[in-house]
Structures are given as C-alpha cells and as structure tokens.
Amino acid sequence: MHVLVLGAGQLARMMSLAGAPLNIRISAFDVVSEKIVHPLTQEILGSGLDTAIEQADVITAEFEHIPHDILHHCEKSGKLLPGAQAIKTGGDRRLEKNILDKSGVKSAKYYVIKTRDDFDHAIRHVGIPMVLKTALGGYDGKGQWRLQTSSDADEIWPEIQNSIDSTENQAVVAEEFVPFDREVSLVGVRDKTGKIVIYSLSENIHTKGVLSLSTSIDDPELQKQAHSMFSAVANTLNYTGVLALEFFDVGGKLLVNEIAPRVHNSGHWTQQGAETCQFENHLRAVCGLPLGSTKLIRPTSMINILGEDTLPEAILETDGCHIHWYGKEKRPGRKMGHINVCAEDYTGLQQTLASLAKVLDEESFPAVHQFTEV
Ligand code: ATP
Ligand code: MG
C-alpha cells in the first residue's frame, strides 16, 4: 500500500514509522514548497502532486489547514480519506460549530462576528468574559483574544477587525468563557464500515496555549460520555480515520471545545501506552484494513519538547521513558519532539514525572514541574 499524506510534518513522519511494519509506504506533500517529500528525510521525491496522486492507493491529511483547491483536486481521484468536507470542518470554526450542533453534542455558546454590530450582539448573546477565535487558521492558541469586561471592547475591536479584513472569508467566533476544571481529549478511529474504536481519554495541560503534557486517564463515567459524543460527531461526518475531540470537563460534564480531523498531539502517548498506536490505526482505517486494539496497556504520559534540541541523558536512563524527535530545526517554542513516559500504575507514573522534573528545565517543561515525589 502507498499512502500520500497532505502535510509533511511530524505527524506524517510518525505515520511513516508506524506504517513500515505493515508494508505501508508513505510519501508526503509539503504544502509550503508544494513538493512531494520523504516524510523522514524530507528529501524531495521526483514526482509532482499529480503523479503522486496517481501513484497513491490512498490520500490522507496530517493537518486541517490544506488549501481547498488541493483538497478538491485530491478528492476528485476518489482516494481522499477522510473526505474534503471533514478536513475543511476541522479548519473552520464556523463549520465545526455547525457539525457539533448537528451532532447534538454540547459546546460553548457562540456567535459568529463579521462586523462591529455583530461584536456588540455577541457581547449581549454570549456574555462576558468571552473568548474570541479566528474562524480560519487558528492553532496552538494563536488568533485568539479574551474580552474580560465590555469596556475593553473598543480597545480590542480594531485588532479583531484587522484580522477579519486581512484574510478572505475570515470571521471571528465569539465563545462564552468556560470555567473548566480540566481539559481532556478523546482520540478514536472509525473505519470505512462505520466501526468505531476509541482510546482512553487523555488529560491535557496547556501552557501559553500550547499542549505541554497529556496523560491517559482511567475514568469510566467520563469515557462513556466522550464515547457517545465521539460517535455522534464521527457518524455525522461519515468519517474514516483517526479523529480527535478536545473537551472541557466542567464538574464531570463534557463540552466539546474543538475537533481535529487527524491524528492528534494528545494521542502521541498511544505509541507506548496502547496496544496499537493512533498512527497505525489511522493507516489501517484509511487503507481498509481491520482496526487494531486500542486497549490501554499501561498508564502513559506524553511531554512535549518545545524549543529544545537536546535532552539530558538521564531521560534515556530512566525506565519507561521513550524519546521521539521530529528531526526539525530548533526554533523558540517549536514542537521539536516528545517524551512518552510509562509506568505500571498511576503512582509510579507520578513518581517518574517527579524525577524528570529534577532534570528537565522548568521554562521549557513547565507542566512536569507540578509533580513532586510522593
Ligand atoms: P489547538 O492547538 O488545540 O488547535 P487552538 O489554537 O485551535 O488550539 P483552542 O483549542 O480552541 O485553540 O484554544 C486553546 C486553549 O484556550 C484551550 O485549550 C483552552 O485552554 C483555552 N480556551 C479555548 N476556548 C476557551 C473557552 N471558551 N473558555 C475557556 N478557555 C478556552
Ligand atoms: Mg485546541
């Protein structure tokens, strides 16, 4: 099998690593250079997009912000999974909210803003405090504003207006501020026949809008809620592949924050913590193969490596730690890799995280520093 991935970042790279044992070969389309590249070496492969589409058995995507003309071009080949509509939905908060409403799952109250009148209406309808997010192009907390009091509206409006005016078809989605207890996400997979399997929920800690730590959690009640919301969304989208749902947990009740039509950063722990990792299961689904077990085999955390290209050797010396570098050039704050940390039980996991806090820099690994030895 040969799979063409739209996007040539770390997610394509990890699909390639997971696909190799199954003889699934990956090539990647770099949307910036518009070249077909090898997902591990970034070496440019001879063929252009048209040849790559022709040679692929299946086409999939590693992120949702793919130019629509390219998505439609790929969809015409009949090989694109998940389909263009699902991918576009993940890249546009208006479509996303629509799908959530259509699926009957709860999310924060919202209002779409194009004009100053809309903004004033949103303040009345959604209430304050409020979170404002660009409909297109947002990731890692970028393209967001917080409105704490209505008297700040005049001050932030020019920036919001500028953002709406500077991109075609742009708008801003105003959302009520959710006073959540914690953030969790569910990664699951739906195959071509509609069969759904899900991983254990993961609890996520963000620092400055960027995911910093994800840990598998064992919470049957929350898992049940998340499962039914996942099924509703995946079925509404008639989805094939791995899909991730991010939630706010408010007193044990889940609200969907956003959906990602792809393998997800909060699912990287499945490489060591689950029977079959999310990357392999995504490939199995889009290639029409039977799905692998998503069973949690041991409690696992994932620590994002942000802006660092070396780690203390102590990490490799620590039992249960696995480093995954992405082979990227160092830039401040950039996702350079991750560390998966496994243990026999949750107490052991907490202890290992506490021991890592002693060797990892506090600024680059803030979430780990909340753990202290028990
Ligand atoms: P991602 O990198 O996950 O794609 P993103 O930039 O698309 O991030 P969101 O996930 O919507 O944006 O928001 C980033 C973070 O901001 C959330 O993880 C959450 O901590 C906070 N946040 C977003 N919306 C709200 C809300 N309505 N109420 C409270 N906090 C929020
Ligand atoms: Mg998010």
Side-chain angles (χ1 to χ4, degrees):
M1 280 287 216
H2 181 178
V3 177
L4 171 65
V5 179
L6 303 176
Q10 66 264 24
L11 303 178
R13 175 187 175 95
M14 290 186 276
M15 277 188 226
S16 173
L17 292 168
L22 294 178
N23 264 351
I24 297 172
R25 199 158 45 90
I26 308 284
S27 50
F29 175 68
D30 182 335
V31 290
V32 180
S33 68
E34 300 197 336
K35 299 264 193 290
I36 304 295
V37 299
H38 189 284
L40 298 181
T41 62
Q42 297 293 314
E43 177 196 348
I44 295 171
L45 305 174
S47 58
L49 181 59
D50 285 331
T51 315
I53 291 173
E54 210 174 292
Q55 288 173 346
D57 298 299
V58 178
I59 307 171
T60 191
E62 67 145 22
F63 81 140
E64 51 277 31
H65 303 301
I66 308 276
H68 289 182
D69 55 334
I70 289 173
L71 280 181
H72 294 145
H73 190 49
C74 291
E75 186 140 85
K76 268 193 244 141
S77 71
K79 300 175 181 178
L80 182 66
L81 285 172
Q85 193 52 39
I87 297 170
K88 283 199 273 184
T89 300
D92 186 331
R93 294 189 199 275
R94 290 163 290 196
L95 301 177
E96 201 172 349
K97 284 288 195 185
N98 250 313
I99 285 292
L100 296 175
D101 293 344
K102 223 167 126 185
S103 308
V105 301
K106 287 210 166 72
S107 75
K109 205 198 269 182
Y110 69 100
Y111 194 80
V112 178
I113 298 176
K114 289 282 275 187
T115 64
R116 177 63 206 244
D117 275 354
D118 295 338
F119 187 28
D120 292 334
H121 186 90
I123 292 171
R124 290 192 299 273
H125 174 73
V126 169
I128 286 187
M130 170 198 285
V131 181
L132 297 122
K133 308 176 182 181
T134 55
L136 303 172
Y139 69 99
D140 287 346
K142 294 186 175 70
Q144 291 198 11
W145 300 264
R146 301 275 192 276
L147 183 64
Q148 306 290 359
T149 64
S150 52
S151 55
D152 292 340
D154 286 343
E155 198 185 320
I156 66 166
W157 173 248
E159 214 183 301
I160 294 172
Q161 183 171 38
N162 186 36
S163 166
I164 295 171
D165 293 345
S166 62
T167 307
E168 205 192 322
N169 189 30
Q170 184 63 288
V172 162
V173 177
E175 237 180 49
E176 68 177 308
F177 180 85
V178 178
F180 56 81
D181 300 318
R182 59 178 176 171
E183 293 188 79
V184 300
S185 61
L186 187 74
V187 173
V189 54
R190 184 177 187 269
D191 76 9
K192 289 182 182 177
T193 69
K195 179 185 172 188
I196 287 173
V197 289
I198 56 163
Y199 290 96
S200 289
L201 275 164
S202 125
E203 179 170 351
N204 305 321
I205 295 170
H206 295 83
T207 311
K208 294 186 195 140
V210 183
L211 183 67
S212 157
L213 182 81
S214 277
T215 302
S216 65
I217 52 173
D218 180 15
D219 186 330
E221 179 45 42
L222 220 54
Q223 187 84 23
K224 218 165 91 190
Q225 262 187 64
H227 193 160
S228 84
M229 291 163 104
F230 182 94
S231 299
V233 174
N235 290 334
T236 304
L237 288 169
N238 190 22
Y239 197 84
T240 302
V242 163
L243 171 75
L245 260 58
E246 293 180 14
F247 302 99
F248 299 127
D249 175 356
V250 190
K253 294 269 174 275
L254 295 180
L255 283 183
V256 178
N257 172 28
E258 57 172 354
I259 64 179
R262 54 174 167 82
V263 288
H264 194 252
N265 198 170
S266 70
H268 291 0
W269 63 263
T270 62
Q271 290 170 310
Q272 263 75 40
E275 187 72 41
T276 314
C277 76
Q278 62 164 347
F279 303 100
E280 180 175 335
N281 256 337
H282 180 69
L283 292 174
R284 288 189 188 213
V286 299
C287 291
L289 300 169
L291 300 180
S293 162
T294 50
K295 187 170 181 270
L296 179 74
I297 48 178
R298 49 195 171 173
T300 304
S301 284
M302 185 240 32
I303 305 166
N304 263 342
I305 305 169
L306 304 172
E308 298 279 346
D309 62 357
T310 51
L311 284 175
E313 272 192 10
I315 305 296
L316 286 176
E317 285 164 2
T318 305
D319 281 352
C321 286
H322 301 262
I323 301 177
H324 298 260
W325 289 113
Y326 305 154
K328 298 201 288 198
E329 214 171 286
K330 182 173 165 169
R331 266 194 248 131
R334 194 177 198 193
K335 286 182 183 168
M336 301 293 290
H338 65 271
I339 309 167
N340 284 337
V341 186
C342 312
E344 290 305 313
D345 51 38
Y346 281 100
T347 310
L349 185 58
Q350 207 174 321
Q351 264 159 0
T352 308
L353 290 168
S355 74
L356 295 184
K358 291 188 185 151
V359 293
L360 291 173
D361 177 65
E362 186 161 3
E363 200 146 308
S364 301
F365 301 92
V368 178
H369 282 262
Q370 68 181 330
F371 294 93
T372 46
E373 254 151 23
V374 278

